[in-house]
Amino acid sequence: MTMHSTQAVECRGFDRPDDVREFEHGRAEVLEMAGGTIGRLVLHPGWRWSEDVKPIAGTDWCEAPHFQYHVSGTLHVKMSDGNEFDVGPGWVSSLPQGHDAWVVGDEDVVLVDWYGASEYAKRS
């Protein structure tokens, strides 16, 4: 039996994103493809969600859940329940809503986010 897929072939890079959302100390580059949204976050040293994105989101904690691959840099995450941890290159993280995060050190943090990018740092 031969199975036929209705999925179209799509190959794109973040060099030509559908949307770029700039904020203090970073940006989110967003691709819409294969019926979904994928984002690349580039966060520069000094970036902190509660300082740079909170004014855009208008919430006390980041309410976007994330499923991310960490390409470079170190990100410190603090959950609203008090749990804290670092995430670095080569790691995959699944973060529920209710967190803050900031760049540790002097290297850019680059993340590829398969879940949470559709509304991240989106201005009304």
Side-chain angles (χ1 to χ4, degrees), residues 37-107:
T37 304
I38 184 170
R40 177 170 69 177
L41 281 70
V42 179
L43 311 172
H44 305 302
W47 177 87
R48 185 174 181 138
W49 183 88
S50 57
E51 295 172 7
D52 299 321
V53 182
K54 179 179 178 174
I56 299 167
T59 57
D60 288 335
W61 296 91
C62 180
E63 297 299 327
H66 299 284
F67 184 50
Q68 306 170 317
Y69 174 72
H70 296 253
V71 177
S72 64
T74 301
L75 189 69
H76 186 82
V77 178
K78 180 177 182 179
M79 302 301 297
S80 59
D81 67 4
N83 189 20
E84 295 188 47
F85 51 91
D86 287 341
V87 186
W91 286 73
V92 175
S93 63
S94 176
L95 302 177
Q97 52 191 152
H99 56 271
D100 190 7
W102 54 90
V103 173
V104 175
D106 58 2
E107 182 182 358

Side-chain angles (χ1 to χ4, degrees), residues 22-34:
E22 304 268 348
F23 41 83
E24 191 71 28
H25 298 107
R27 68 184 179 279
E29 302 160 339
V30 180
L31 293 175
E32 302 286 343
M33 57 186 296

